[in-house]
Amino acid sequence: MDLWTIQMAQWRVARDLKIPLLDTTIKSGDRVFAPSWDIVEQVKEGTLSQLAYTELYTQLMRDSYRVNQLRWIEVCQMPVVAISCYCPDGDFCHRHVLAEMFKRVCQHQKITFTLKGELTKRHRPELGEG
């Protein structure tokens, strides 16, 4: 599995490179991998630290894995995927925590894993801005 992270606003980059996009937001995405509304609201209000967010989200994803193990493995078996959310590149974001969790699941399942980094416009082929 080659795993990229990407800001949702950059979805055209993934499309142009033919990299499947996995929306991991609570608003519009696959809820198996999304943070809860409560966590998102606390972050927006500034009442939840990065450490507390990471701890809460990690526990939420551990629970998700127990209940949705087949979905986790299905994603891990994809040759390449970009996990996305709305947070800007460079900001603290759950997609980076999730990437590390996918790494651990792949290791446990003996699936080759490569974290490719943040997919941005600089990766986009010369196809114009379409």
Side-chain angles (χ1 to χ4, degrees):
M1 166 190 225
D2 286 346
L3 187 135
W4 294 89
T5 58
I6 188 171
Q7 181 189 27
M8 192 73 73
Q10 302 297 317
W11 67 269
R12 289 175 188 86
V13 177
R15 177 200 63 196
D16 292 348
L17 294 171
K18 298 183 177 23
I19 297 173
L21 196 67
L22 176 61
D23 179 350
T24 64
T25 66
I26 189 69
K27 183 177 181 179
S28 58
D30 187 333
R31 293 191 176 211
V32 169
F33 308 110
S36 67
W37 277 115
D38 184 51
I39 292 173
V40 171
E41 288 170 1
Q42 288 181 59
V43 168
K44 287 182 178 185
E45 294 167 356
T47 60
L48 193 63
S49 70
Q50 290 181 9
L51 178 60
Y53 181 103
T54 300
E55 290 171 354
L56 288 170
Y57 181 68
T58 298
Q59 186 57 55
L60 186 66
M61 290 301 98
R62 286 181 180 148
D63 295 343
S64 170
Y65 181 78
R66 278 191 282 284
V67 174
N68 304 290
Q69 186 175 1
L70 293 178
R71 177 69 178 130
W72 280 80
I73 293 170
E74 175 185 34
V75 173
C76 287
Q77 290 173 336
M78 296 173 73
V80 63
V81 66
I83 55 175
S84 67
C85 76
Y86 296 102
C87 299
D89 180 24
D91 285 3
F92 172 77
C93 174
H94 78 278
R95 67 182 180 255
H96 304 291
V97 177
L98 183 58
E100 287 300 315
M101 298 186 85
F102 273 118
K103 177 181 177 181
R104 284 187 233 123
V105 172
C106 284
Q107 289 171 339
H108 180 68
Q109 296 294 324
K110 303 202 181 338
I111 298 169
T112 301
F113 176 90
T114 304
L115 182 57
K116 303 295 281 187
E118 186 75 9
L119 194 56
T120 64
K121 287 181 182 179
R122 75 177 189 277
H123 296 100
R124 192 172 188 173
E126 297 302 318
L127 297 175
E129 285 300 310

